[in-house]
Amino acid sequence: MPLRYLTAGESHGRGLVGILEGMPAGLALEAAYIDAHLARRQMGYGRGGRMKIERDKAEILSGVRHGKTLGSPIGLLVHNRDWKNWEEVMAVEAGGDESLRAVRVPRPGHADMQGVVKYGFSDVRNVLERASARETAMRVALASIARKFLEEFGIHVGSRVVSIGDVRDESEINFPVSELNTRADASPVRCLDKGAEKRMVKAIDDAGEAGDTLGGVVEVAAGGLPVGLGSYAHWDRRLEGALAQALMSLNAIKGVEVGLGFEAARRRGSEVHDEIFWSGDKTRAERKTNRSGGVDGGVTTGQPLVVRAAMKPIATLMRPVRSINLETKEEAEAHVERSDVCAVPTAGVVAESLVALVLADAFLEKYGGDSMEEIKAHHAARPHK
Ligand code: EPS
């Protein structure tokens, strides 16, 4: 696993920091590229007041010189603009008032209850500050470096929203994956079908008016992949496993599918497996269908990768569900805090970022080298189409 990354930072703390280790030297990189993807993560209908405050920008602290990566760890910093409103509550130094904005009622569906038990806290804020999906801003920032790396080899990763609540977009991706984000980003809910878009917006409005929240399904696609990323040779090198782990690590994700996914379990084998044919010149194997989602046996087939992730509705409800007060021991309504009604469009951008990190890691494992020059030579020698 050549590529590793770490993030740190609380939602209302000073900011988020991240380190990406394992990127080769010689990749052209500027903060504006990272910022463009951070801005994409902030779009989306259904977000709350916080997104009006933040204008995420990445500061590159290390690992880049004169616009090119050095092969050393890349350090990033994203400031929280909201920090100025939380300096006392989130003070690093001892001696302040610890009861400021303390939270005593855990929100069902969040990490709150398990967190206070696990770490021995009495203030749920100690949990929610880190369990918050604010952290995904740094994952998107780090992943945009992986994305830039993949683009150098003609690999594009994009995403779209397939459903929000019970509203589904039935359309197919029947165009190059490199166009997916341009099309999806043009929609406030990042879906492809205009009719579905309208119904999704209405579903979000209705849920919001009812003080409720909505989840949905996002689809990530990657095009331009060579045959042979990942391996069947050992369990921890199987690409489906790495993808599922990455996507399940995203806040609120409760299910992951590759290709047909759960639908494959309902069909017969003849309706699931992608038959193999010779290309016209008999130099390459070709498939006319892509029900596998571009991976079989832990290895990319060379077809577009297609994975989906199911996000549950956000756990902070304006009309709260029932919970308990940890201090008074009474029954209580769950804590209410400024929140989003729906963050599924954002989850799509984060999911594609996590997939980019997995693919860059698998690509480096196969074509590895210390510099872009070396990796490009390895890739040119073995393009694996
Ligand atoms: C989040 C709660 C909201 C979201 C936040 C995730 O923040 P706040 O508590 O400050 O209103 O806006 O998402 C982000 C800050 C972000 O950048 O995506 C939560 O509890 O997970």
Side-chain angles (χ1 to χ4, degrees), residues 11-12 41-42 47-51 54 56 82 86 107 110 128 131-134 136-137 251 316 337-340 346:
S11 179
H12 304 102
R41 195 197 70 94
Q42 291 201 270
R47 302 301 307 270
R50 179 74 185 274
M51 283 306 96
E54 302 299 341
D56 292 336
D82 210 9
W86 290 81
R107 292 159 301 168
H110 221 290
L128 69 85
S132 161
R134 173 72 187 148
T136 63
N251 314 46
T316 310
E337 184 152 312
R338 177 185 63 190
S339 174
D340 309 318
T346 289

Side-chain angles (χ1 to χ4, degrees), residues 241-264:
L243 289 165
Q245 141 88 96
L247 290 170
M248 290 296 287
S249 78
L250 171 54
N251 314 46
I253 298 301
K254 282 297 201 181
V256 173
E257 285 188 329
V258 183
L260 281 183
F262 279 63
E263 172 60 22

Side-chain angles (χ1 to χ4, degrees), residues 19-20 39 69 98 110 118 121 131 134-135 148 154 167-168 181 186 223 232 239-240 249 273 336 338:
I19 297 176
L20 183 66
T69 57
E98 288 185 33
H110 221 290
K118 180 173 168 65
F121 296 138
R134 173 72 187 148
E135 182 264 351
K148 183 78 179 20
V167 183
R168 270 189 73 83
N181 279 342
Y232 58 85
L239 200 68
E240 293 99 323
S249 78
H273 304 298
V336 177
R338 177 185 63 190

